[in-house]
């Protein structure tokens, strides 16, 4: 259940989701670890479940049932948070946003360092670095980005457990700084003892261009998908749902 345990398992079986096109680091992709991080948080420790916040009770026609419209609890603070907390809605919302903003701040710093490390590694390859010289560095990048992704892919986790997420992000930052120290030394050994020229990736379009995506092709494939595949899904859903029992709503 811990970020380090998952990483150790993936390392042991030599698993890689994809190879990074710039640095050639063997990357891992985190898949929404909401449950794992939530389970280490204060609400889990006090026995508060996902459904307490995301599926609060509602009453209709004298019947009490859980709301199956799973959504942000902030759309319904009265029935989710205020069942237990006495604070005003605005205070509870602020408590959530404060935690999200602070986690976002350090996660962005880790992200900036990751981008730089990928570019530095690309330059090292370009100057003739060997697999042997890069091995350790690429593992540091893998481990640091695994932590970034773990923090980014669990969408509710900066509230579910801000402390655990901050711990994960800060260890990611240590790992990427290790990688960048090693890269600075390696680049110097390879004859480049200057600051590295980082690309301008200040917009999404510039970043896409830098990594060499053929956006014209990808966008036209997406258009085609929206036109042809999605209508089939909607049709299938309509047929399926026509067989469901009529709801009280
Ligand atoms: C079923 C009860 C319950 C519900 C529902 C609930 N909480 Fe809590 N919350 C707790 C308990 C218990 C604690 C731990 C505090 C303690 O034990 O003194 C806690 C702690 C907190 C803390 C402090 C955590 C920290 O970071 O140290 C915040 C903030 C908080 N809740 C906000 C919310 C918000 C926002 C919601 C709605 C989305 C919510 N809670 C829903 C019971 C609940
Ligand atoms: C104490 C209340 C509480 C509990 C318990 C809780 N969550 Fe959340 N969850 C929240 C809050 C608050 C947010 C942030 C909502 C926002 O930003 O609008 C959130 C966000 C999320 C999101 C992101 C939603 C989005 O639109 O990005 C997901 C997914 C999620 N939670 C899943 C879970 C799961 C799964 C569990 C149990 C394993 C769980 N939550 C337990 C309060 C809770």
């Amino acid at each position: 259940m811990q970020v380090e345990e998952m990483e150790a398992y993936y390392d042991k079986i030599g698993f890689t989701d994809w190879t990074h096109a710039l640095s050639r680091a063997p990357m891992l992709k985190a898949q929404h670890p909401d449950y794992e991080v939530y389970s280490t948080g204060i609400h889990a420790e006090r026995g508060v479940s996902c459904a307490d916040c995301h599926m609060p009770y509602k009453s209709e026609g004298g019947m009490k049932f859980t709301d199956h419209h799973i959504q942000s609890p902030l759309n319904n603070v009265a029935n989710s948070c205020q069942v237990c907390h006495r604070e005003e809605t605005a205070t509870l919302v602020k408590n959530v946003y404060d935690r999200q903003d602070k986690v976002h701040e350090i996660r962005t710093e880790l992200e900036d360092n990751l981008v730089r490390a990928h570019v530095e590694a690309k330059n090292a390859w370009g100057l003739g670095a060997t697999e042997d010289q890069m091995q350790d560095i690429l593992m540091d990048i893998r481990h640091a980005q695994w932590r970034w992704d773990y923090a980014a892919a669990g969408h509710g986790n900066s509230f579910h457990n801000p402390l655990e997420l901050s711990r994960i992000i800060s260890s990611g930052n240590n790992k990427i700084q290790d990688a960048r120290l090693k890269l600075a030394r390696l680049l110097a050994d390879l004859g480049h003892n200057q600051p590295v020229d980082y690309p301008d990736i200040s917009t999404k379009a510039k970043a896409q261009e830098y990594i060499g995506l053929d956006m014209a092709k990808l966008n036209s494939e997406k258009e085609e998908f929206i036109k042809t595949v999605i209508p089939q899904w909607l049709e299938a859903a309509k047929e399926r749902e026509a067989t469901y029992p009529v709801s009280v709503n």
Side-chain angles (χ1 to χ4, degrees):
M1 297 292 278
Q2 290 281 324
V3 71
E4 289 86 0
E5 291 169 349
M6 294 178 208
E7 177 184 274
Y9 170 72
Y10 288 136
D11 284 357
K12 193 170 129 213
I13 64 168
F15 181 77
T16 298
D17 274 295
W18 94 99
T19 301
H20 199 283
L22 301 177
S23 64
R24 302 186 208 163
M27 307 304 291
L28 294 171
K29 176 78 196 80
Q31 318 274 355
H32 311 297
D34 276 284
Y35 177 74
E36 291 80 351
V37 173
Y38 146 86
S39 68
T40 62
I42 188 68
H43 283 104
E45 203 165 298
R46 296 287 188 272
V48 186
S49 75
C50 315
D52 286 320
C53 293
H54 289 283
M55 299 174 72
Y57 280 108
K58 67 189 267 188
S59 292
E60 241 172 55
M63 282 210 303
K64 192 178 167 202
F65 54 94
T66 54
D67 188 347
H68 278 53
H69 182 188
I70 299 174
Q71 58 179 326
S72 167
L74 302 186
N75 293 334
N76 188 2
V77 171
N79 290 338
S80 47
C81 321
Q82 285 163 343
V83 172
C84 300
H85 293 285
R86 286 157 186 232
E87 289 76 19
E88 297 286 326
T89 297
T91 306
L92 289 162
V93 171
K94 180 180 179 295
N95 292 155
V96 174
Y97 288 171
D98 275 351
R99 283 160 176 72
Q100 292 175 339
D101 288 347
K102 286 170 190 176
V103 169
H104 189 254
E105 184 183 321
I106 53 172
R107 199 185 79 203
T108 305
E109 286 167 11
L110 171 54
E111 190 176 307
D112 286 344
N113 279 323
L114 280 164
V115 170
R116 289 189 151 78
H118 283 299
V119 173
E120 288 154 4
K122 173 181 186 271
N123 289 7
W125 286 121
L127 291 167
T130 65
E131 298 276 344
D132 243 19
Q133 287 173 313
M134 294 296 282
Q135 167 89 23
D136 251 18
I137 293 168
L138 297 186
M139 286 308 274
D140 284 342
I141 295 178
R142 165 183 167 98
H143 294 156
Q145 187 152 331
W146 164 238
R147 284 162 176 72
W148 171 87
D149 206 336
Y150 200 89
H155 296 285
N157 286 339
S158 44
F159 173 73
H160 298 148
N161 191 353
L163 197 57
E164 172 66 355
L165 229 51
S166 306
R167 184 189 75 81
I168 291 170
I169 294 168
S170 99
S171 82
N173 239 326
N174 279 339
K175 286 181 193 298
I176 202 64
Q177 296 292 20
D178 273 353
R180 296 193 63 203
L181 263 175
K182 291 173 194 166
L183 277 162
R185 271 196 218 113
L186 176 58
L187 285 168
D189 284 349
L190 297 169
H192 184 95
N193 207 355
Q194 302 287 326
V196 168
D197 232 352
Y198 300 107
D200 174 10
I201 51 164
S202 54
T203 67
K204 187 171 160 187
K206 285 178 182 171
Q208 287 167 334
E209 194 189 328
Y210 174 69
I211 59 171
L213 293 183
D214 182 349
M215 289 317 292
K217 177 163 171 277
L218 290 170
N219 282 332
S220 90
E221 283 170 6
K222 182 175 174 182
E223 281 296 307
E224 187 61 18
F225 175 86
I226 291 171
K227 264 204 307 245
T228 57
V229 180
I230 290 186
Q232 291 171 27
W233 286 354
L234 292 175
E235 205 43 50
K238 228 198 251 167
E239 275 171 35
R240 190 176 63 237
E241 287 174 11
T243 67
Y244 289 178
V246 180
S247 92
V248 287
N249 292 325

